[in-house]
Amino acid sequence: MADIKAILKNLKIWRSLKVRLFVIIFLVGSIPSIFVRVGILENYESRAVDVRTSDVQTQLRIIANHLITYNYLQDTSSEMIGAELEQLSNLYNGRVLIINGNLKVVKDTYAISEGKTIISEEVIRCMKGVNTVNYDAVNGFIEITVPIVETVSAQMATAEVPEGTEVVRGVMLTSVSTDSIVNTMELLNRKALIVEIIMVFCIFAIALILAQILIRPFDRVSKAISEVKEGYTNEPVSVPDYLETEHIVDAFNSLLERMKALDDSRKEFVANVSHELKTPITSVKVLADSLLAQQDVPAELYQEFMVDIAEEIEREDKIINDLLALVKLDKSAAQLNIGVININDLAEIILKRLRPIARKKNIEVTLISKREIIAEVDEVKMSLILTNLVENAIKYNKEQGKVDVTLDADHQFFTVEVADTGIGIPGESLSQIYERFYRVDKSHSREIGGTGLGLAITKSAVLLHRGSIKAESVEGEGTVFTVKIPLTRVLV
């Protein structure tokens, strides 16, 4: 069975839905016709045997009465009885044995066993008044026993055997041929087989047509997807024939929308990268040209311009580093360097490094650990997540504001919640804050600093850990970022 499955799996044609539908329809149509033919033949055989048995038993009972009337068990000279037995034997192509009470054969229509004693279970049971019928389908005959019963008359009555008692005086053992039944069955079988073959051919054609019709919606789905793939159209596909095709089309349309969004995002990203990289270079060029255009530039002005140039170069370097970080995060998650890390200790180290930045704006940074958390994470990328979130909470906070970092866990995930009392994020911008180079307040982005890549990097690092990140914000009151990551590494 396993070998057959392996062969079918390797056969390319068997992987076709059309072929499978054809086979299923063909089998569903053909197998019942076979069972119907076999059932009809078996039913006919059973019914024919019952009718033949009933007819023979009726005639045997009549003859049995004649045997008693003519005292045939003691005197077998009656020509009328002999003629009846011969007629019965010829009519059913069978053999009749008359057996007396001593189990001796007094008459055999084949004239073979006369005078012999016959002992068999069926004869002995029949002597007790029980009729027996045995059908031998292999050898093609029905064996029937009928008791020869005499009703005790007044003249023959005794104290032990009162008048009216039925006494078994002998047995009629008859073997009836079933050749006619077999011949009829063979004829029926041939006709049924012809009908069945015609039905199979019809079912074959119907299965072929139905399989072709049923598979058409899937062909239309394939054709529509091919047109999109070749670039002939970007319109959503619609094949609502079946629920299955509708689900496939919905999934493809969702993928198509996602691909369009990614393509638009890529174009926007290229434009933003070009702009972000070009801006510092343009500033450096303007500053350098200003210095070159002037003669005898004072040392103070020269130094001021050089400070501005250094700042622009540092900004360019930061953009490039963040872009490199994004490229690394976009690679396979297999590059994660997973280790067992104490998240509480890691958070404490990061906050210790960031508190001096917070003090410049009189911002209080607090770590709230609800329980100790030991998790399987990439320490570098986890540090990146915590650093970016806390840095943003400090940058976009108000003077004398607060940043609370809360750590918690259940049996499956740990959460990092970074809440600030800053300027907040408008509701319409919450869905875009993870886009590369997106800034909520572009007018103050230069003053605050940053490249607009921090949250994009953070989200990529979270997704690499099979986690999730969400933001809740009230403009003018503050923002809460919640990161949820599995405690143990999830393998896919």
Side-chain angles (χ1 to χ4, degrees):
M1 189 68 181
D3 293 338
I4 294 172
K5 285 183 178 178
I7 292 169
L8 288 175
K9 192 173 181 180
N10 292 328
L11 284 173
K12 191 173 181 180
I13 192 171
W14 180 245
R15 292 165 57 194
S16 167
L17 179 61
K18 187 188 294 183
V19 171
R20 294 191 180 192
L21 282 172
F22 166 76
V23 170
I24 290 169
I25 296 168
F26 181 72
L27 291 178
V28 167
S30 301
I31 292 174
S33 66
I34 296 171
F35 282 112
V36 167
R37 176 175 63 85
V38 173
I40 289 173
L41 290 173
E42 287 184 353
N43 185 62
Y44 168 77
E45 182 181 21
S46 175
R47 178 64 181 162
V49 169
D50 289 343
V51 170
R52 177 67 55 87
T53 301
S54 178
D55 290 345
V56 173
Q57 283 178 330
T58 301
Q59 295 190 45
L60 287 175
R61 289 191 190 98
I62 294 170
I63 294 173
N65 290 334
H66 292 171
L67 292 176
I68 294 298
T69 303
Y70 291 95
N71 197 24
Y72 194 80
L73 294 175
Q74 282 74 38
D75 181 8
T76 60
S77 61
S78 174
E79 293 182 2
M80 189 187 76
I81 300 297
E84 287 181 351
L85 293 174
E86 287 297 328
Q87 184 182 9
L88 179 65
S89 178
N90 293 331
L91 180 63
Y92 294 108
N93 192 23
R95 181 184 181 187
V96 182
L97 280 74
I98 308 298
I99 304 165
N100 63 19
N102 297 322
L103 302 180
K104 279 192 176 182
V105 179
V106 298
K107 177 64 177 177
D108 180 1
T109 55
Y110 280 12
I112 296 173
S113 302
E114 290 177 358
K116 294 181 180 179
T117 301
I118 184 167
I119 300 173
S120 71
E121 183 183 351
E122 289 77 11
V123 172
I124 293 171
R125 288 177 64 194
C126 194
M127 282 292 186
K128 296 177 181 179
V130 179
N131 289 23
T132 63
V133 177
N134 292 320
Y135 172 50
D136 189 339
V138 177
N139 297 309
F141 68 87
I142 307 169
E143 187 180 78
I144 305 169
T145 60
V146 172
I148 302 170
V149 180
E150 181 181 7
T151 303
V152 177
S153 62
Q155 293 81 7
M156 298 175 62
T158 63
E160 292 81 11
V161 184
E163 182 184 355
T165 302
E166 292 184 344
V167 180
V168 177
R169 299 300 185 188
V171 173
M172 293 184 70
L173 175 62
T174 308
S175 297
V176 179
S177 174
T178 57
D179 288 346
S180 61
I181 296 174
V182 171
N183 292 336
T184 305
M185 283 182 60
E186 288 177 354
L187 181 63
L188 282 173
N189 188 43
R190 283 195 296 272
K191 291 183 177 179
L193 196 57
I194 293 169
V195 173
E196 186 180 332
I197 290 170
I198 294 170
M199 285 180 63
V200 166
F201 276 111
C202 292
I203 293 166
F204 182 91
I206 292 168
L208 206 61
I209 294 167
L210 281 178
Q212 186 70 31
I213 293 171
L214 291 172
I215 208 69
R216 278 178 188 167
F218 294 96
D219 290 337
R220 287 203 294 274
V221 170
S222 178
K223 184 179 178 182
I225 291 174
S226 294
E227 288 183 355
V228 173
K229 183 185 72 173
E230 295 297 332
Y232 299 137
T233 180
N234 282 325
E235 295 301 316
V237 178
S238 176
V239 185
D241 298 58
Y242 304 139
L243 280 175
E244 289 76 10
T245 57
E246 198 170 342
H247 292 160
I248 293 170
V249 165
D250 288 345
F252 177 76
N253 289 337
S254 297
L255 178 63
L256 189 62
E257 289 177 10
R258 175 66 177 158
M259 293 293 290
K260 287 179 182 177
L262 286 174
D263 190 49
D264 293 342
S265 176
R266 178 184 60 80
K267 291 175 183 176
E268 185 180 355
F269 175 68
V270 171
N272 287 338
V273 168
S274 301
H275 174 74
E276 293 293 335
L277 291 176
K278 189 177 178 181
T279 300
I281 292 174
T282 303
S283 297
V284 170
K285 188 175 184 305
V286 168
L287 291 169
D289 288 345
S290 298
L291 287 176
L292 291 172
Q294 300 180 44
Q295 294 181 351
D296 301 326
V297 179
E300 296 81 5
L301 183 62
Y302 188 86
Q303 186 175 3
E304 183 183 343
F305 274 42
M306 290 306 294
V307 169
D308 291 340
I309 289 172
E311 286 179 355
E312 293 298 332
I313 291 171
E314 184 179 349
R315 183 163 175 260
E316 185 88 3
D317 182 61
K318 190 170 183 181
I319 292 171
I320 291 169
N321 287 334
D322 282 351
L323 284 171
L324 289 173
L326 265 179
V327 170
K328 289 178 182 178
L329 288 171
D330 284 341
K331 290 183 180 178
S332 170
Q335 295 184 8
L336 285 175
N337 185 20
I338 298 297
V340 179
I341 306 298
N342 187 310
I343 304 299
N344 308 74
D345 293 344
L346 181 64
E348 188 62 60
I349 292 168
I350 290 168
L351 295 189
K352 186 176 180 181
R353 189 168 66 240
L354 294 176
R355 279 192 179 102
I357 301 172
R359 289 194 197 102
K360 293 178 182 178
K361 295 178 67 175
N362 295 319
I363 294 171
E364 181 184 352
V365 179
T366 307
L367 175 63
I368 303 168
S369 296
K370 294 189 176 181
R371 55 183 50 81
E372 186 180 26
I373 302 170
I374 306 295
E376 296 176 7
V377 295
D378 184 312
E379 184 174 2
V380 174
K381 291 178 176 60
M382 195 66 223
S383 299
L384 201 61
I385 293 168
L386 291 170
T387 300
N388 281 338
L389 290 177
V390 177
E391 266 190 352
N392 280 353
I394 294 170
K395 282 179 186 177
Y396 296 96
N397 216 320
K398 300 172 183 176
E399 287 287 338
Q400 298 181 346
K402 286 181 63 179
V403 176
D404 291 332
V405 180
T406 306
L407 303 179
D408 199 0
D410 55 24
H411 65 286
Q412 193 174 1
F413 297 92
F414 74 89
T415 56
V416 178
E417 185 181 279
V418 179
D420 64 59
T421 56
I423 58 176
I425 303 170
E428 63 273 10
S429 298
L430 280 173
S431 60
Q432 299 173 278
I433 56 176
Y434 303 108
E435 294 177 11
R436 297 164 184 184
F437 296 112
Y438 181 80
R439 293 185 178 90
V440 176
D441 188 356
K442 293 181 174 62
S443 61
H444 293 88
S445 60
R446 182 63 66 93
E447 298 171 14
I448 295 172
T451 61
L453 294 171
L455 286 178
I457 292 171
T458 301
K459 185 174 183 179
S460 295
V462 170
L463 293 179
L464 282 179
H465 286 89
R466 304 290 172 185
S468 62
I469 181 171
K470 68 175 183 178
E472 297 174 350
S473 184
V474 177
E475 199 169 0
E477 294 183 14
T479 305
V480 178
F481 280 91
T482 304
V483 173
K484 189 176 183 180
I485 294 176
L487 288 167
T488 56
R489 175 67 179 145
V490 178
L491 297 176
V492 179

